[in-house]
Amino acid sequence: KNEVEQSPQNLTAQEGEFITINCSYSVGISALHWLQQHPGGGIVSLFMLSSGKKKHGRLIATINIQEKHSSLHITASHPRDSAVYICAVDRMEYGNKLVFGAGTILRVKS
Amino acid sequence: DVKVTQSSRYLVKRTGEKVFLECVQDMDHENMFWYRQDPGLGLRLIYFSYDVKMKEKGDIPEGYSVSREKKERFSLILESASTNQTSMYLCASSRDSYTIYFGEGSWLTVV
């Protein structure tokens, strides 16, 4: 079993919909990262969380340390949000080495 | 803005060739990483470095080596490229417990 599991693997939404991507992990962590990858390869860090909730524009990320679960929400989705969203955890015993989920492919249709 | 620059965006190399992938970051980060990304497998760590001249193996180091002679530069070396090393390679840098920054990726095809 992978240490970091994301769901769903693929998601198609209509423009304007509220989107949720989930991440569950099975190890102790010092932080969790949400990353965005557009076609062409480059990856951008969206959030780094160790507790609670963070918001940036239409994106909201939450984490529940006790349940080992995090969610990424996109409000009022737009076609430009189409990308791969990747959850990654910073395991306590390995410092800043990340373990990555397989990613969620999001497509937002207009 | 932090910048992580990978020297080559697209490369085509022949089996057996020696391949160098260069990565430079401009934020004085201690940590640098090389990953490869393959469909269905996600990102996998090849090597990482916490300081100049320091390197540690990641999850899939076989067939690769690295060099970090200066803090800002981390090079990935394929000593003898093979077709199963065709992949997208991503460099990243970070300071401990802070945001990680990625380069744009290098698409390597070995024929």
Side-chain angles (χ1 to χ4, degrees), chain B residues 51-82:
Chain B
D51 203 349
V52 175
K53 295 192 188 294
M54 179 275 176
K55 59 188 179 186
E56 285 196 32
K57 293 179 180 179
D59 300 315
I60 51 163
E62 296 79 18
Y64 303 94
S65 62
V66 290
S67 171
R68 193 163 180 203
E69 295 296 317
K70 294 184 178 181
K71 192 174 186 180
E72 67 269 20
R73 187 180 296 268
F74 192 35
S75 302
L76 180 69
I77 303 154
L78 287 66
E79 295 289 343
S80 177
S82 63

Side-chain angles (χ1 to χ4, degrees), chain A residues 30-36 43-50 54 56 88 90 95-98 100, chain B residues 1-4 25 27-33 35 91-103:
Chain A
S30 56
L32 182 143
H33 301 252
W34 280 104
L35 309 167
Q36 182 191 55
I43 294 177
V44 174
S45 177
L46 298 173
F47 295 102
M48 190 182 74
L49 293 161
S50 54
K54 285 189 176 179
H56 185 255
D90 205 334
N96 204 220
K97 276 172 59 180
L98 298 181
F100 295 83
Chain B
D1 274 353
V2 174
K3 201 163 183 183
V4 179
Q25 49 95 3
M27 280 302 289
D28 202 37
H29 284 169
E30 294 84 11
N31 307 322
M32 295 190 75
F33 308 84
Y35 299 93
C91 175
S93 76
S94 73
R95 195 165 280 142
D96 277 348
S97 304
Y98 285 85
T99 301
I100 188 165
Y101 295 89
F102 288 84

Side-chain angles (χ1 to χ4, degrees), chain A residues 1-57:
Chain A
K1 189 178 186 293
N2 292 336
E3 291 177 324
V4 181
E5 298 276 357
Q6 282 185 241
S7 63
Q9 287 185 314
N10 290 278
L11 181 55
T12 299
Q14 208 58 40
E15 184 173 358
E17 284 184 3
F18 180 85
I19 290 165
T20 296
I21 299 170
N22 295 299
C23 176
S24 296
Y25 53 92
S26 57
V27 295
I29 68 169
S30 56
L32 182 143
H33 301 252
W34 280 104
L35 309 167
Q36 182 191 55
Q37 185 174 33
H38 279 282
I43 294 177
V44 174
S45 177
L46 298 173
F47 295 102
M48 190 182 74
L49 293 161
S50 54
S51 64
K53 176 179 171 178
K54 285 189 176 179
K55 184 176 189 291
H56 185 255

